[in-house]
Every structure is written in structure tokens, then in C-alpha cells.
Amino acid sequence: MTEQKTITQITEKIDGARETERQIAFMEKAAGYVQELSEKLGRKPTCCVVTFGCQMNARDSEKLSGILEKVGYELVEREEADFVIYNTCTVRDNANQRVYGRLGYLNGLKKKNPHMKIALCGCMMQEPAVIEKIRKSYRFVDLIFGTHNIYKFAELLTAMFESDGMIVDIWKDTDQIVEDLPVERKYPFKSGINIMFGCNNFCSYCIVPYVRGRERSRNPKDIIREIEKLSGDGVKEIMLLGQNVNSYGKNLDMPITFAQLLREVEKIDGIERIRFMTSHPKDLSDELIQVMKESKKICRHLHLPLQSGSTEILTKMNRRYTKEQYLALVEKIRREIPDMAITTDIIVGFPGETRADVDETIDVINKVQYDNAFTFIYSKRSGTPAAAMEQVPEEEVKENFARVLETVQQTAKKRAALLQGQTHSALVEDVNDQDPELLTGRLSNNMIVHFKGEKDLIGQIVPVCLKECHGFYYLGERV
Ligand code: 5AD
Ligand code: SF4
């Protein structure tokens, strides 16, 4: 039987700068182990980071990749690698099931490659039942850590090389924010930046507050410094990340609002586009609307999760706004900034939701005319208040889901058609997957345009005429 070692939490409060130094020392140590492995293999060891879930996880994966690159791994996209990390999500159960399914596949690969190591991290690992299951049924996993101690990755990596059992290091929560660790960005011209971690809202269906812990805002000086550095490296577009950016800064020693932070970010030379995610409707201030309106850099896209259009369901969801308040907010935003694209998240099948409740949601969709919406079937997350409520039969949920989806697609199509024939600037992100003659660019409103152009335009912002609207994307021509 493999030894199962658990490192318990370091309770002593650590000073951030000293912790950065400590981790850099671990990187050097880990680099030594990777070098040894490299000599054994006769080549550079490869590593693959697979990301499930949201933008926060994508950013965390860039942090993991930065450290892996630093210690000497070659980053690859395929899972036939010497080290595979799954950065997991647990917001809905299907994300968990996908991880278990793919772990079986990894086990097969590990049997063929005796040097292979497997690590699991991210939100799913913050659930005790998951850890128990992996310990019991997936014993080939080498390292498990959670969302709070990701900054310790270099240290955990070293421990993994020094042990031949499973290492599990999960913390319940942390108040720690460690700055200045290496990051390997996926795109050279755009980047996400965490401005806060955790969530205090406790929407009754949501597991995030349990797995990401209490809300902690980063110091504005650290955020600005990071963005200045990114700008110096050629980044043009940034996305400020937080579970609820509208409550940014409230708990800092010197409180500052999100709108004030945006004003500071706007001043940074070289940054041409600013995005942010996610905005809770209950905390969206007039000050923020004003800043967005006056800004030359903030993109014309606001993601404003509705979840449900029924006030009764919203109350049970603990969202703390009514249908009417949400609609009034949207009206105010559209009045002040008419070209603002608004997108949303909707859950169908929350406990107790009736056909009439779904009609209310459809009514909101028709009134708001969303540019896009992510529609989810409610997923029961154990430990959340909604899990104990009476669930809606599956058939009913499916039917309502189809009705909501159809409405959303109609409004999105209508909104997209409005821009046909106009010229807008697009940040060129990539060569088109299907047609290498085409480039793919992103508009300020977050829509995609494909147009003919040379690869060297990637990373530039260019004007494109939106010739044909194809529902969710445009075919365009460079002007
Ligand atoms: N079931 C379905 N969807 C959920 N979301 C969060 N928790 C659940 C759940 N239990 C959705 C919400 C949120 C988005 C990120 O995921 O719509 O805005
Ligand atoms: Fe979950 Fe609500 Fe927090 Fe969003 S605001 S992460 S839905 S608890």
C-alpha cells in the first residue's frame, strides 16, 4: 500500500514578501530534481496543465505554468506527458464527473510511463468527499492541493519529488495573498489579473464561497504595479478578475471602490482595453456606471448574471435583488451607455421553480435583449442550502431549459444583427481554427469577427467592417 502523507496547514501568519523568497528557493530546489529527471530521460521532461472551469482557474493555471517553466519543464498541450495537472472546477456536478472520467485515462498513461506524475488542484479539491474518493479509488495520484495554497506550488512540487506516496495539502481558508511569483501567460497581448479572491455572497445554490473562501481584495498598489509590468511586456487588453468585482476594496485597511480602482487602471499607458468579471447586480454602483461611461478604455461589455427573472426564486437564491430592481438597473445602464453589450448567466431548474417562474425569466430576457447568455441546468451541490430544498423533476427542467435557450438565442441574434455593416476595432487574437487564411478578432462588445489577414496582425487592434452577421460571430473585412 502506498504511504499517504498529509501536510497540515502552516498556521503561522506569513509575511508575503518573505513567502515569495521562500517559494523562489523551492523553485531552485525543484529545478534540481527536474534536471535529474531530464538526465535520466535524455530530454527535457514535459508537463501538461489542463484547466476546467472559469477565468479564475485559467489565471491560476498560468501561475502554475509559470513555475513549471521556471523549474525546467517543457509545457505541452497533450496529456501524454511526464507531469499532468488537472486544475478542477466544481461549480456544477458535470465538471466533477469529467475529471473522474479523465483520471481513468491518465491511469492508463501512467502505467506506460513509470516517470509520470499526476497532480490535482482547484475548487473540486476543496471538497472533503472528493479527497476521500480520490484517496480510496484513485491512488495513483501523486499530489493534491486546493485553491488557498496554490502559491506554495513550488514547495509542493519539491515535496512530490521527495516522496513516493500521495501528498495531500488542503487548507480550509486563508487570508494570505502572495505577490510576484512567475506567470506564464497564454497570450502575449492580453491577460487576466486577479483583483480579489473568494466570495461572501452565499447564493443558496453556489459552492464557490465554500471552496474559494472569504472575500479578500488585493492591495491596489500591487494590482497597478502588475498591470504596469504587463503593459511593459506588450499587453494591450486586461481582464480584472473577481467573483464579485463590485465589492472590491471594501475590506482593505484603506477602503477603495472598484470604480476608483478602474480610474487608476485607466491611467496606465499602453493598456488599450479594460474588461472585468463578474459584476453582481446588487452591488453595481452609479459611480461605476459613470466611470464606464467616461472611459476610453473600458470595453462595451458588461456581464451581469441574472440567474432568474422570478423575484420569488431570486429570494430563495439569496441574490438580494428583485426582478424590478434588475430591470431598472439595466435600463439605467442602457440609458447612460447605449452601446453597452449586456450578457448574463441563467439557471433553470432551481428548487421550487415553476413554469410561471420560468415565464418571468423569459420576460426579463425579452426586456433586456441580452447579447449573449450562458444558460445552466441547476446542479445540486451538497453542503449548499438549496441542496436541502425540494428538487424539480428532470423532465420539467428540460422543457423549461429549451424555452429559455430559444429565447436567449433569438435576442442574441437580433442584437448581433444591429452591428452588421458597421466598422469596429478588433483585437486580433489568433489564426482561425478552420481556415488558416482567416484571423479571429474580438470586438469591444466581446463578439468575434473572422476576416482575411496576415498572421503578423495578431496582438494588434485593427478596424474591421462587420460584413455578414452569422448569429454568434461576424465575417468581416479589414478597413
Ligand atoms: N447549478 C447550476 N449553475 C450554477 N452556477 C453556479 N452554481 C450553480 C449550480 N449549482 C452558475 C451561475 C453562475 C455561473 C458561474 O455558474 O449561473 O453565475
Ligand atoms: Fe457563487 Fe453567488 Fe458568489 Fe457568484 S456571487 S460566486 S454565484 S455565491
Side-chain angles (χ1 to χ4, degrees):
M1 198 180 140
T2 44
E3 171 211 4
Q4 294 193 344
K5 191 166 134 195
T6 304
I7 305 175
T8 43
Q9 169 158 8
I10 303 166
T11 43
E12 161 203 4
K13 197 167 168 164
I14 356 174
D15 133 18
R18 256 189 52 212
E19 186 55 27
T20 308
E21 265 173 44
R22 261 189 89 235
Q23 292 307 318
I24 289 170
F26 278 114
M27 278 176 230
E28 281 164 23
K29 206 166 174 195
Y33 290 122
V34 176
Q35 179 60 30
E36 263 174 40
L37 179 61
S38 175
E39 280 159 20
K40 234 186 261 172
L41 296 169
R43 59 171 170 81
K44 215 172 166 177
T46 55
C47 177
C48 174
V49 182
V50 182
T51 312
F52 298 81
C54 67
Q55 307 266 3
M56 290 276 199
N57 265 17
R59 184 63 179 160
D60 283 349
S61 288
E62 290 186 345
K63 294 176 185 172
L64 297 172
S65 299
I67 291 168
L68 289 161
E69 175 124 284
K70 187 108 191 158
V71 303
Y73 276 103
E74 184 191 339
L75 295 172
V76 294
E77 303 267 319
R78 48 178 205 281
E79 287 163 64
E80 287 91 356
D82 301 303
F83 187 18
V84 175
I85 304 176
Y86 282 178
N87 187 5
T88 63
C89 168
T90 188
V91 118
R92 285 169 292 275
D93 187 53
N94 52 9
N96 294 42
Q97 295 314 320
R98 268 174 49 215
V99 168
Y100 290 129
R102 284 173 72 159
L103 271 176
Y105 167 69
L106 281 193
N107 192 21
L109 294 179
K110 193 169 183 174
K111 282 182 181 146
K112 285 187 225 148
N113 177 2
H115 297 288
M116 185 175 177
K117 299 272 186 199
I118 297 171
L120 301 174
C121 64
C123 294
M124 191 177 152
M125 301 306 128
Q126 292 295 140
E127 290 184 88
V130 169
I131 300 297
E132 217 168 284
K133 180 162 171 166
I134 293 169
R135 278 193 150 135
K136 225 193 247 159
S137 311
Y138 300 87
R139 295 232 306 271
F140 53 89
V141 173
D142 300 283
L143 169 63
I144 302 175
F145 56 101
T147 56
H148 301 302
N149 52 350
I150 186 164
Y151 71 83
K152 271 183 60 185
F153 180 52
E155 184 175 353
L156 293 166
L157 204 58
T158 310
M160 180 181 83
F161 278 114
E162 290 170 355
S163 152
D164 50 9
M166 183 191 279
I167 292 183
V168 183
D169 190 14
I170 306 291
W171 297 4
K172 263 211 160 82
D173 205 345
T174 183
D175 56 6
Q176 189 64 34
I177 297 178
V178 177
E179 300 286 346
D180 298 324
L181 292 171
V183 179
E184 174 67 21
R185 277 181 285 114
K186 191 169 170 201
Y187 296 97
F189 49 85
K190 67 171 191 176
S191 179
I193 291 120
N194 300 105
I195 63 165
M196 58 201 301
F197 303 93
C199 182
N200 285 353
N201 287 309
F202 290 94
C203 300
S204 65
Y205 50 82
C206 186
I207 200 161
V208 169
Y210 306 89
V211 295
R212 287 262 172 191
R214 293 295 62 71
E215 206 172 276
R216 310 167 305 280
S217 292
R218 273 178 80 193
N219 192 318
K221 279 205 190 95
D222 291 328
I223 297 170
I224 299 294
R225 198 162 46 98
E226 182 179 348
I227 300 173
E228 283 170 346
K229 190 163 172 292
L230 289 168
S231 163
D233 289 346
V235 167
K236 292 194 173 123
E237 179 179 302
I238 53 161
M239 162 95 83
L240 306 177
L241 297 170
Q243 301 298 347
N244 176 16
V245 292
N246 294 336
S247 64
Y248 169 78
K250 286 187 180 153
N251 300 323
L252 286 170
D253 292 340
M254 292 215 293
I256 149 172
T257 64
F258 179 53
Q260 285 170 319
L261 176 73
L262 280 172
R263 281 214 173 91
E264 294 307 310
V265 174
E266 175 102 13
K267 292 180 194 154
I268 301 174
D269 284 337
I271 297 298
E272 294 179 45
R273 281 179 164 189
I274 303 168
R275 298 183 186 276
F276 51 83
M277 227 182 193
T278 290
S279 272
H280 195 306
K282 79 175 163 64
D283 300 313
L284 200 149
S285 66
D286 289 350
E287 187 195 11
L288 178 61
I289 297 175
Q290 211 47 40
V291 169
M292 289 193 286
K293 184 177 172 175
E294 288 163 12
S295 169
K296 299 265 179 308
K297 297 183 176 177
I298 297 174
C299 287
R300 282 343 195 198
H301 172 219
L302 183 67
H303 187 66
L304 197 63
L306 168 70
Q307 313 302 1
S308 167
S310 149
T311 297
E312 203 175 311
I313 295 295
L314 286 169
T315 308
K316 286 187 188 157
M317 284 178 162
N318 191 29
R319 290 290 289 176
R320 285 173 278 172
Y321 52 83
T322 62
K323 176 188 180 183
E324 288 68 30
Q325 283 168 333
Y326 185 95
L327 285 172
L329 177 62
V330 169
E331 206 183 299
K332 187 157 54 177
I333 295 164
R334 284 260 162 80
R335 193 170 56 231
E336 294 295 323
I337 320 167
D339 59 344
M340 184 65 91
I342 301 180
T343 60
T344 202
D345 291 340
I346 293 167
I347 298 176
V348 179
F350 181 84
E353 188 182 59
T354 63
R355 196 178 162 89
D357 290 318
V358 179
D359 289 342
E360 298 277 321
T361 301
I362 290 175
D363 185 44
V364 175
I365 301 169
N366 282 324
K367 289 200 164 112
V368 173
Q369 295 281 303
Y370 289 108
D371 293 76
N372 199 2
F374 298 98
T375 313
F376 306 108
I377 288 188
Y378 167 75
S379 172
K380 183 173 162 177
R381 311 312 290 132
S382 53
T384 62
M389 301 178 192
E390 196 180 333
Q391 309 293 306
V392 181
E394 209 180 306
E395 273 311 302
E396 222 170 286
V397 177
K398 274 193 187 150
E399 202 190 310
N400 282 329
F401 183 81
R403 293 199 299 136
V404 169
L405 194 63
E406 202 196 321
T407 319
V408 156
Q409 284 170 348
Q410 280 168 1
T411 71
K413 240 190 205 160
K414 264 196 246 162
R415 289 283 300 175
L418 291 178
L419 299 193
Q420 182 161 296
Q422 297 183 6
T423 295
H424 286 266
S425 14
L427 171 60
V428 185
E429 293 192 341
D430 245 320
V431 173
N432 186 293
D433 286 342
Q434 269 110 50
D435 182 350
E437 284 204 349
L438 293 180
L439 297 173
T440 298
R442 192 175 294 273
L443 308 175
S444 172
N445 72 358
N446 212 35
M447 287 276 288
I448 293 288
V449 59
H450 304 294
F451 63 101
K452 263 206 178 118
E454 293 303 317
K455 236 176 140 175
D456 58 4
L457 284 181
I458 292 177
Q460 292 191 41
I461 296 178
V462 295
V464 181
C465 178
L466 312 174
K467 291 277 182 190
E468 288 171 34
C469 171
H470 287 251
F472 296 105
Y473 66 92
Y474 300 97
L475 284 182
E477 225 170 71
R478 194 177 167 206
V479 178

